[in-house]
Amino acid sequence: MQPVRATIQGLGVCIPTRILTNDDLARMVDTTDEWITARTGIKRRHLAEPDQATSDLALIAAQRALAQARVAPDDLDLIVVGTATPDMYFPATACLVQERLGAKQAGAFDLLAACSSFVYGLITAAQLIQSGGIRRALVIGAETLSRLLDWEDRRTCVLIGDGAGAAVVGPSTGNAGFYSGSVGADGSAGDVLKVTAGGSRMPITADAIERKLHRAYMDGQAVFKLAVRTIPTLIRRTVDRAGWTLEQVDRIVPHQANLRIIDAMREQLGVPADKFEVNIQEYGNTSAASVPIALWEAVEAGRIREGDRIVLAAFGGGFTYAACALIWGI
Ligand code: COA
């Protein structure tokens, strides 16, 4: 049997229509548009409506990706939803999406690697396809992190947005597709970004709510340093394993957490600024949805074209990180 190379056959996104600007936030907490723009690059973010759950955003992104790929739900063998904000503990959000898509032949599971979840999911799906285990997968990064925020904590609430992005992954017909993928984690840094209450260690009690332990906590400076220390090396390794040089890479799509983090990575790598995809000004950090939304925008705008060599790179709570190198096309 000929070895198969997996590739992305179609993309779709769901961006909530409700917008929260920096000026809106300045009316809610002690902050300013100037501070947020200078420290993060973010100008606005999109938030899910109160009646929209993660699976609602995931479903729309999934339907659009399937339509673009011209793949029927019945042709999916697997659905992976990367999310830190599932609709509920279980069933998995992936199962909710599977049912609503009518993807009756597909297995379904959620994957939790925080903001790295989508890239972790892509690498997992590509490997399953390349090993012959499955033929076609739908990988979704979907989040409603706004639900986990303390909207009185200016250190975190200004950073986040909601959204979803999906990719249909299937066998390539030519040279396009995945050439390498690396995942990693540093569990010793788990405390820098976490939601303490709501799991088996500490169920949500009145005391936990009083202490806001069911809300997202972040040591911003620690996350910043970890990202800048880890991601340039990860990108170099991923490019190297693909058998490419950094100069040959046409576009890098990094996780959109902070413009200053992206700038620092760029400087370390010595890659020209215009090779990096940046859309943080419009969406903030949408966690697992950030890479697929940025990838979709780059393709739609023609900044990524068939045959381009691209790198996707993400990091997030855990601490987790993941990157993959692919040639764009089907
Ligand atoms: N508006 C105004 N002032 C704010 C503020 C806000 N939204 N948030 C924090 N501040 C204040 C702080 O209270 C502090 O005041 P002080 O000096 O009087 O104590 C001051 O600004 C500086 O805070 P600091 O935390 O040192 O700022 P920073 O330059 O590190 O920027 C982050 C903070 C969160 C923007 C930055 O650390 C960051 O982006 N980290 C990475 C976060 C991330 O990527 N998370 C997701 C990972 S997937």
Side-chain angles (χ1 to χ4, degrees):
M1 200 174 77
Q2 280 284 93
V4 177
R5 188 182 298 285
T7 195
I8 293 178
Q9 299 177 322
L11 289 170
V13 298
C14 174
I15 293 158
T17 49
R18 186 156 60 111
I19 289 175
L20 192 70
T21 66
N22 290 350
D23 287 335
D24 294 334
L25 274 163
R27 287 187 282 275
M28 296 161 62
V29 289
D30 181 14
T31 193
T32 59
D33 174 41
E34 291 72 32
W35 193 96
I36 302 171
T37 306
R39 298 291 177 119
T40 71
I42 301 167
K43 298 297 282 183
R44 62 190 76 80
R45 64 289 291 143
H46 296 240
L47 299 182
E49 297 296 336
D51 64 349
Q52 272 181 318
T54 296
S55 68
D56 298 319
L57 306 184
L59 179 71
I60 293 169
Q63 287 167 330
R64 292 175 175 164
L66 287 167
Q68 190 178 82
R70 296 177 193 211
V71 165
D74 257 349
D75 289 332
L76 292 173
D77 301 315
L78 180 67
I79 298 174
V80 181
V81 174
T83 187
T85 48
D87 285 25
M88 57 188 115
Y89 257 135
F90 60 85
T93 302
C95 293
L96 306 176
V97 172
Q98 186 246 16
E99 195 273 326
R100 289 169 72 187
L101 279 178
K104 294 197 170 57
Q105 313 302 322
F109 67 86
D110 286 0
L111 188 159
L112 172 48
C115 305
S116 316
S117 299
F118 177 78
V119 183
Y120 256 76
L122 270 188
I123 293 168
T124 306
Q127 291 295 334
L128 282 168
I129 291 165
Q130 287 169 186
S131 69
I134 62 168
R135 189 164 165 80
R136 197 169 275 112
L138 177 66
V139 180
I140 306 170
E143 301 279 15
T144 47
L145 263 181
S146 61
R147 302 278 151 74
L148 288 182
L149 294 177
D150 173 0
W151 284 99
E152 293 175 350
D153 178 4
R154 66 179 183 174
R155 290 166 305 167
T156 49
C157 75
V158 303
L159 304 174
I160 301 298
D162 299 329
V168 175
V169 186
S172 168
T173 51
N175 289 333
F178 290 89
Y179 280 71
S180 70
S182 329
V183 298
D186 177 3
S188 71
D191 276 345
V192 303
L193 190 48
K194 64 179 177 180
V195 179
T196 306
S200 61
R201 177 70 64 195
M202 187 188 290
I204 296 182
T205 58
D207 176 55
I209 292 173
E210 173 77 25
R211 293 159 62 201
K212 296 192 170 180
L213 297 176
H214 61 311
R215 299 295 184 198
Y217 162 82
M218 185 180 69
D219 177 344
Q221 288 189 2
V223 176
F224 197 111
K225 284 180 197 150
L226 275 165
V228 172
R229 210 179 302 142
T230 315
I231 306 307
T233 311
L234 174 72
I235 291 176
R236 277 188 199 286
R237 192 169 66 223
T238 306
V239 169
D240 197 49
R241 283 187 187 165
W244 308 343
T245 63
L246 259 181
E247 291 69 35
Q248 288 177 307
V249 173
D250 296 294
R251 198 135 199 96
I252 298 177
V253 183
H255 172 45
Q256 309 284 312
N258 185 318
L259 185 58
R260 289 189 296 141
I261 294 180
I262 296 175
D263 284 342
M265 286 177 195
R266 227 170 46 195
E267 269 170 35
Q268 279 195 39
L269 289 168
V271 169
D274 61 3
K275 275 198 183 180
F276 272 76
E277 191 62 25
V278 175
N279 68 4
I280 190 166
Q281 63 284 356
E282 178 63 33
Y283 305 108
N285 178 351
T286 58
S287 185
S290 116
V291 168
I293 291 174
L295 177 62
W296 175 83
E297 281 199 345
V299 174
E300 289 293 304
R303 290 188 294 275
I304 291 177
R305 297 196 200 94
E306 186 144 352
D308 281 354
R309 286 184 162 94
I310 65 171
V311 172
L312 314 180
F315 59 89
F319 181 74
T320 57
Y321 47 95
C324 57
L326 60 154
I327 292 183
W328 191 250
I330 52 173

